[in-house]
Amino acid sequence: ALDVEHIGTYSFSLVGSSADPLFRTGHPVAWSELRNRRVIGLNPTSSTRLQVDAELGGVGVELPWFMEVDQFSTMLSLIRNKAYCAVLPTLFDPVKEGLVSLPLVDPAMFRDLYFVKRRDRELTMQGATLAMLLRAALDGGRNASGNDGVSGLASIIASNLSRINHAIASPPLAMPRLARHALRRCHDRRGVGACQACPGRCRGQAV
């Protein structure tokens, strides 16, 4: 059995260079307006493409893809070239990459974000730390902007990876009690948590 918790909803935006006149307007862009743009799409089997292609096809809007790439890094390099733009989930933070974005509308597309865990398993230290950081980021986003707080989560995760990985050896005081409990119990029963701080007792067994 799984515990499933809905934590937010996000959409899609058009990402490009601030040197592009289109992005200086600040206005939302209709999908149908992309037909004459050099829009980069990820591989057709990606979750973004599967949803976008299906929804646009359902309402009779022409697919906007000028070029397809397999690597996200390739997409970013082309966008920075100023001649291209891309459709990305609003989870992506364009400002951190020196880019800008505009909302995509007509039709508006949305995706839901969930926390999912097995009901019969405790979270590892990394999982509990990641959940704590994401909840704090979501709450901060809602309080600051009044929206769902989801935008920019990808950057939040990336910027906190070192904290997540370090949590095993030195869990923060604000760590949820469940996570601290998992660290203590790893001395007594293997497979409950991953502990590198006590290799002499549990030999660093990981879940």
Side-chain angles (χ1 to χ4, degrees):
L2 298 175
D3 283 327
V4 180
E5 177 189 356
H6 182 262
I7 60 173
T9 301
Y10 60 96
S11 56
F12 294 94
S13 59
L14 185 68
V15 177
S17 168
S18 58
D20 188 328
L22 173 66
F23 290 91
R24 296 173 188 170
T25 66
H27 300 312
V29 179
W31 289 92
S32 59
E33 297 177 35
L34 300 181
R35 65 170 62 93
N36 296 319
R37 308 283 307 183
R38 292 186 173 185
V39 182
I40 306 168
L42 288 171
N43 189 292
T45 60
S46 67
S47 60
T48 294
R49 281 292 305 275
L50 289 173
Q51 179 179 356
V52 170
D53 289 5
E55 294 204 29
L56 291 183
V59 295
V61 175
E62 181 182 348
L63 298 182
W65 316 119
F66 176 82
M67 178 189 302
E68 294 176 350
V69 297
D70 290 323
Q71 301 296 325
F72 185 63
S73 58
T74 303
M75 174 180 282
L76 289 181
S77 296
L78 289 170
I79 298 174
R80 292 191 183 102
N81 192 33
K82 304 178 183 180
Y84 301 90
C85 53
V87 173
L88 290 171
T90 53
L91 285 174
F92 173 72
D93 184 1
V95 176
K96 188 170 183 179
E97 299 294 336
L99 303 169
V100 291
S101 65
L102 294 172
L104 283 165
V105 296
D106 299 329
M109 299 184 194
F110 299 97
R111 304 179 79 175
D112 292 317
L113 189 66
Y114 296 89
F115 275 134
V116 181
K117 66 176 288 291
R118 287 181 56 170
R119 190 170 297 169
D120 61 342
R121 292 288 183 92
E122 296 178 346
L123 290 174
T124 62
M125 291 298 294
Q126 297 100 321
T129 304
L130 176 59
M132 180 183 66
L133 292 169
L134 291 180
R135 290 182 190 281
L138 287 167
D139 291 341
R142 293 187 184 103
N143 294 336
S145 62
N147 59 21
D148 56 22
V150 172
S151 300
L153 272 186
S155 296
I156 293 167
I157 295 172
S159 63
N160 285 283
L161 280 179
S162 60
R163 291 181 60 189
I164 296 167
N165 292 330
H166 186 65
I168 298 175
S170 55
L173 295 177
M175 182 70 65
R177 186 174 68 175
L178 175 65
R180 296 200 303 271
H181 183 57
L183 179 61
R184 290 197 300 270
R185 291 183 63 189
C186 73
H187 295 298
D188 304 318
R189 191 176 72 191
R190 295 182 181 182
V192 173
C195 179
Q196 296 174 353
C198 54
R201 299 184 64 177
C202 68
R203 300 189 182 279
Q205 295 295 322
V207 294

